[in-house]
Amino acid sequence: MAQVVLENLPASVTLPHALQPYWDMQLAGLGADAMRMALEAGMFTHLDEFAGAPELARRLGLDPVNTGHFLELLWGMELLERRPRGGW
């Protein structure tokens, strides 16, 4: 994963917001729901090999656009790896 170098930025940009722990706590439920939905749909079973969102949606009978958004969410939770040219 690429690292970002933060030099000469004000503390207001580099320090976490005072409310960050509360936002994280609120969003934890979203992550739990996403994990549950992925497990119920069998997504991880179908991702033994890299597949794009349209292919995964076809396999699972899901909407390709929404599947792409859902895969982005799972990737953001660090549950998936992404290929440079597409695919999960």
Side-chain angles (χ1 to χ4, degrees):
M1 190 177 284
Q3 292 189 347
V4 177
V5 178
L6 302 176
E7 295 179 11
N8 301 322
L9 294 175
S12 62
V13 175
T14 59
L15 296 176
H17 192 279
L19 295 176
Q20 189 64 49
Y22 303 104
W23 296 332
D24 292 343
M25 188 174 16
Q26 182 65 31
L27 291 174
L30 174 66
D33 287 343
M35 173 69 96
R36 179 186 50 78
M37 291 172 61
L39 290 170
E40 287 176 358
M43 265 189 192
F44 298 113
T45 303
H46 289 276
L47 290 171
D48 285 345
E49 297 178 12
F50 283 100
E55 173 61 21
L56 183 62
R58 186 191 62 72
R59 292 179 195 171
L60 297 173
L62 302 172
D63 177 73
V65 173
N66 289 334
T67 300
H69 296 310
F70 194 69
L71 291 171
E72 288 279 348
L73 173 63
L74 295 174
W75 175 75
M77 295 169 56
E78 299 182 2
L79 296 174
L80 297 179
E81 293 178 17
R82 178 185 281 171
R83 287 172 65 180
R85 294 186 181 184
W88 304 91

